[in-house]
Amino acid sequence: MKEWQSMAIAVLLGLTVRWVVSLNSYSGAGKPPMFGDYEAQRHWQEITFNLPVKQWYFNSSDNNLQYWGLDYPPLTAYHSLVCAYVAQFINPDWIALHTSRGYESNQHKLFMRSTVFVADLMIYIPAVVLYCCYLKETSTQKKIASAFCTLLYPGLLLIDYGHFHLGLALWGVLGLSHDWDILGSLAFCLALNYKQMELYHSLPFFCFLLGKCCKRGLKGKGLLLLIKLICTVAAAFALCWLPFCTQVEQTTQVLRRLFPIGRGLFEDKVANFWCTLDTLLKIKHLLSPRAQLMFSFLLTFLSLLPACLKLTLQPSVRGFKYTLVNCALSFFLFSFQVHEKSILLVSLPVCLVLNEVPFMSIWFLLVSTFSMLPLLLKDQLALASVVTTLGFAVVSAASFPIFEDVSEEELRLKSFSMRVQRHVPGFKVPTKMLKTGFLVSVTLMSLLTLMSITVEPPHKLPDLFPVLVCLVSSLHFLLFLIYFNVINLWDHRNGRNQKKIN
């Protein structure tokens, strides 16, 4: 009983912080002609309510795709339509065709935030709480700490403030973790049909379920499970895409909107491999768009292949969670057309292993928030960013004794260390160096944040601070990719957990 009371208090505190932060600022408010992401959400309600379904993704006089045209899968459009009906009931001016463009009022802002908050209450928050409550081999204190830190993670508080697809993906993880494979697959299919960026998480779901079917035997229970999964996926996609599959032209237009290859290898100063390399080699000028696409595909595929192969051959829940981290991070670092906000797709799986490797997870979550600093400053969220990051750091340090025991066992590197010792006697993971590295990292990020806010860059180098943020963050992410791959590939407990899959 006390466990649930403590969890309820943590959730209420987390919800309060989320609501207060959400009212702090609105992306692009009062900045014509585009008005930012806030206007994009409102505009989609306008389009879906006033135009026939077949016109939602097509350019026309009533639907200028250059002005926040729909570029997400059908489930996002359906969600916008539901919100539009509520808006029409309250105030039709909010979604009036053409005349509502750039509409801003305090009442409408409250309505927009409320729709997101209700969606989070229905999907994302319950998934976080249930996941943390049912963590195995974890103390009550760690369960509460994991839930509280996840809800207070600054990245998910500050960016977009609406994580419907992440909530659906988390329900998928919950389902697979408790052998509700059909429900878990359905939840993830809905997440993928809400935002195409959920492709970052798709391979771990596929490999885990395929490995599970193979372990059960493809001539018996495994075959039956495979058929059920295929039917579930096919039915989910058919229901979501049915209005757009009546004509080939309709389907291809939606796909073109979802995967705009013409936008290029990356956007703005995103902290991934290609943007970092571009600062040195100007890769966008050296390689043709086709070559960029091929190289990004090749590097992404090679970087996630080891984790996916192990998960398929040795399916386990722990391995599934770490493969989610590795695949999402590989996509972020090496794939085509990456946005700064895409790091949130890596942060969610990292939150799932927060109770297992708190030191490295908290470090990653701090870096991920820092990597979005140029975007946060652009949206005038400097103060909110600093306050929420400090709050998260304090809560994390109080909840997890991250500096008390930074050992090979706590870092899940004991198996790797023992393997290396066969070839290099006396080898040990430099845990003291990691502590020092963490402090240096935090100091460097703090200084860059302070300078980005208070110091004017040189006239000849206007992008100096965003580039430095990009370089520092991407180097961190490359090291995190190596770390999470190492503990995934050499963690002997992943093999033990296979016995639980029958």
Side-chain angles (χ1 to χ4, degrees):
M1 189 64 180
K2 289 183 179 180
E3 174 184 346
W4 286 103
Q5 289 177 345
S6 301
M7 182 66 79
I9 293 171
V11 171
L12 285 173
L13 286 172
L15 287 174
T16 302
V17 172
R18 292 173 72 81
W19 179 251
V20 171
V21 171
S22 75
L23 297 175
N24 179 73
S25 181
Y26 300 84
S27 176
K31 294 182 179 179
M34 299 301 286
F35 299 100
D37 289 341
Y38 171 84
E39 167 64 9
Q41 303 288 333
R42 188 214 59 78
H43 182 64
W44 295 342
Q45 295 176 20
E46 172 193 345
I47 293 302
T48 54
F49 184 82
N50 291 288
L51 299 182
V53 175
K54 292 183 178 181
Q55 295 182 25
W56 288 356
Y57 291 91
F58 280 88
N59 194 52
S60 67
S61 57
D62 290 329
N63 184 20
N64 180 9
L65 294 182
Q66 297 301 313
Y67 184 81
W68 299 119
L70 264 170
D71 53 4
Y72 287 126
L75 201 56
T76 293
Y78 302 149
H79 185 199
S80 296
L81 181 60
V82 172
C83 294
Y85 275 104
V86 180
Q88 172 71 11
F89 177 77
I90 299 173
N91 188 344
D93 291 340
W94 293 348
I95 55 168
L97 191 62
H98 301 307
T99 58
S100 62
R101 182 172 293 192
Y103 189 99
E104 292 179 5
S105 71
N106 291 331
Q107 188 182 19
H108 183 249
K109 289 176 181 178
L110 183 61
F111 164 75
M112 294 291 283
R113 285 308 188 212
S114 298
T115 58
V116 175
F117 192 70
V118 168
D120 271 1
L121 280 176
M122 293 173 62
I123 304 294
Y124 179 69
I125 307 297
V128 170
V129 173
L130 284 177
Y131 174 82
C132 294
C133 283
Y134 288 99
L135 283 170
K136 297 177 181 179
E137 302 174 7
T138 304
S139 65
T140 300
Q141 183 180 357
K142 272 194 172 183
K143 291 178 181 179
I144 296 170
S146 297
F148 197 36
C149 290
T150 301
L151 293 175
L152 291 183
Y153 166 55
L156 294 176
L157 286 176
L158 297 168
I159 298 296
D160 280 351
Y161 188 71
H163 318 295
F164 201 65
H165 64 106
L166 294 179
L168 289 170
L170 188 48
W171 278 109
V173 173
L174 265 170
L176 269 58
S177 300
H178 294 86
D179 289 328
W180 306 327
D181 298 321
I182 305 302
L183 292 175
S185 300
L186 177 61
F188 182 71
C189 285
L190 293 176
L192 190 54
N193 279 289
Y194 195 85
K195 284 197 176 178
Q196 66 270 35
M197 289 89 76
E198 280 300 325
L199 286 169
Y200 281 38
H201 302 145
S202 59
L203 279 175
F205 275 86
F206 174 79
C207 293
F208 179 70
L209 290 170
L210 179 62
K212 202 170 184 179
C213 292
C214 292
K215 287 292 179 182
R216 291 186 177 185
L218 290 178
K219 292 183 179 180
K221 292 182 178 179
L223 179 61
L224 181 61
L225 176 60
L226 183 61
I227 293 172
K228 288 180 180 178
L229 290 170
I230 291 172
C231 292
T232 301
V233 173
F237 272 82
L239 285 172
C240 290
W241 283 77
L242 189 60
F244 306 97
C245 292
T246 54
Q247 296 177 344
V248 176
E249 183 186 7
Q250 187 82 28
T251 307
T252 54
Q253 173 63 12
V254 177
L255 291 174
R256 278 195 292 267
R257 292 296 299 165
L258 300 188
F259 303 103
I261 296 175
R263 287 186 183 177
L265 190 57
F266 56 86
E267 289 188 16
D268 296 327
K269 298 296 184 288
V270 58
N272 75 346
F273 174 77
W274 299 115
C275 187
T276 303
L277 189 63
D278 191 68
T279 60
L280 304 173
L281 298 179
K282 301 303 176 187
I283 196 168
K284 280 189 172 183
H285 300 293
L286 291 175
L287 298 176
S288 66
R290 186 180 182 85
Q292 293 173 28
L293 184 61
M294 290 178 63
F295 275 113
S296 66
F297 172 79
L298 184 63
L299 270 181
T300 305
F301 177 75
L302 291 176
S303 65
L304 55 78
L305 185 61
C308 288
L309 280 177
K310 181 176 182 182
L311 183 62
T312 306
L313 298 173
Q314 299 177 0
S316 68
V317 174
R318 178 178 273 110
F320 171 55
K321 291 189 289 187
Y322 282 112
T323 306
L324 280 170
V325 176
N326 290 322
C327 284
L329 192 48
S330 293
F331 268 99
F332 178 80
L333 283 171
F334 304 116
S335 67
F336 196 85
Q337 235 298 298
V338 175
H339 193 278
E340 300 105 305
K341 294 184 289 187
S342 300
I343 194 62
L344 298 179
L345 294 158
V346 190
S347 300
L348 177 69
V350 171
C351 289
L352 301 183
V353 298
L354 185 59
N355 65 303
E356 296 184 25
V357 282
F359 177 77
M360 295 301 288
S361 297
I362 291 167
W363 191 356
F364 176 89
L365 294 174
L366 289 172
V367 175
S368 66
T369 304
F370 170 75
S371 72
M372 297 183 288
L373 181 64
L375 183 63
L376 295 170
L377 295 181
K378 184 180 177 182
D379 287 342
Q380 299 178 343
L381 289 170
L383 180 61
S385 173
V386 171
V387 171
T388 54
T389 302
L390 285 174
F392 174 77
V394 170
V395 169
S396 299
S399 303
F400 295 99
I402 55 176
F403 286 113
E404 289 182 12
D405 188 15
V406 184
S407 61
E408 290 182 344
E409 289 81 2
E410 286 297 315
L411 294 171
R412 302 290 189 261
L413 293 173
K414 187 66 176 178
S415 299
F416 171 73
S417 180
M418 292 173 65
R419 183 68 62 89
V420 175
Q421 284 173 11
R422 296 178 186 177
H423 307 283
V424 185
F427 172 83
K428 286 188 177 181
V429 176
T431 53
K432 290 185 179 179
M433 190 180 296
L434 279 175
K435 284 184 180 181
T436 305
F438 175 83
L439 294 174
V440 171
S441 169
V442 170
T443 303
L444 181 59
M445 289 189 293
S446 301
L447 287 173
L448 276 175
T449 300
L450 184 62
M451 292 173 69
S452 298
I453 296 172
T454 60
V455 179
E456 278 291 326
H459 182 69
K460 293 182 179 180
L461 299 170
D463 293 330
L464 175 63
F465 296 130
V467 168
L468 289 176
V469 169
C470 168
L471 288 171
V472 170
S473 302
S474 60
L475 288 174
H476 277 83
F477 292 145
L478 285 168
L479 293 174
F480 282 122
L481 180 66
I482 295 170
Y483 168 76
F484 282 114
N485 266 291
V486 165
I487 61 174
N488 186 26
L489 297 175
W490 275 276
D491 190 356
H492 64 279
R493 282 177 296 184
N494 287 351
R496 289 181 182 177
N497 284 351
Q498 291 179 71
K499 299 177 182 178
K500 297 179 181 179
I501 300 174
N502 52 47

